């Protein structure tokens, strides 16, 4: 009985490390070099194709949202006549 109590007391003292330790390569200097180049490309597009797609999708949703907002504003300004 005493042996069981002693083992229970030791369980919380152990460190449980189930995740493997990963070493990542530091990519910051490479990214700094890429973004600080003077190649007349805007910073928000220097990340490649993914950045260009995100930029175009954002612009598309912005324009469509603005048009929809003006449409709804127009519909609210001129309510339908009730018969």
């Amino acid at each position: 009985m005493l042996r069981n109590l002693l083992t229970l007391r030791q369980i919380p003292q152990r460190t449980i490390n189930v995740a493997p330790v990963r070493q990542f390569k530091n990519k910051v200097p490479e990214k700094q070099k890429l973004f600080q180049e003077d190649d007349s490309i805007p910073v928000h597009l220097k990340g490649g194709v993914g950045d260009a797609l995100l930029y175009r999708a954002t612009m598309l949703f912005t324009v469509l949202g603005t048009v929809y907002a003006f449409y709804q504003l127009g519909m609210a300004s001129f309510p339908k006549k009730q018969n």
Side-chain angles (χ1 to χ4, degrees):
M1 177 76 176
L2 182 61
R3 186 171 24 138
N4 291 339
L5 288 174
L6 289 175
T7 56
L8 283 176
R9 194 182 83 193
Q10 289 177 352
I11 289 175
Q13 293 174 353
R14 295 182 188 168
T15 57
I16 300 173
N17 190 3
V18 293
V21 177
R22 289 184 167 173
Q23 296 293 329
F24 293 106
K25 182 182 175 197
N26 187 5
K27 297 180 183 178
V28 173
E30 297 169 12
K31 294 292 183 179
Q32 283 178 338
K33 201 177 291 183
L34 172 73
F35 284 102
Q36 290 177 355
E37 285 180 1
D38 188 21
D39 54 1
S40 72
I41 296 175
V43 173
H44 58 275
L45 296 177
K46 282 192 177 187
V49 176
D51 282 351
L53 289 174
L54 282 173
Y55 176 74
R56 288 183 181 160
T58 302
M59 288 299 111
L60 177 70
F61 288 134
T62 302
V63 170
L64 290 177
T66 304
V67 169
Y68 182 71
F70 280 124
Y71 171 76
Q72 289 296 328
L73 185 62
M75 296 310 290
S77 298
F78 304 107
K80 293 181 180 179
K81 294 181 181 179
Q82 295 182 359
N83 290 334

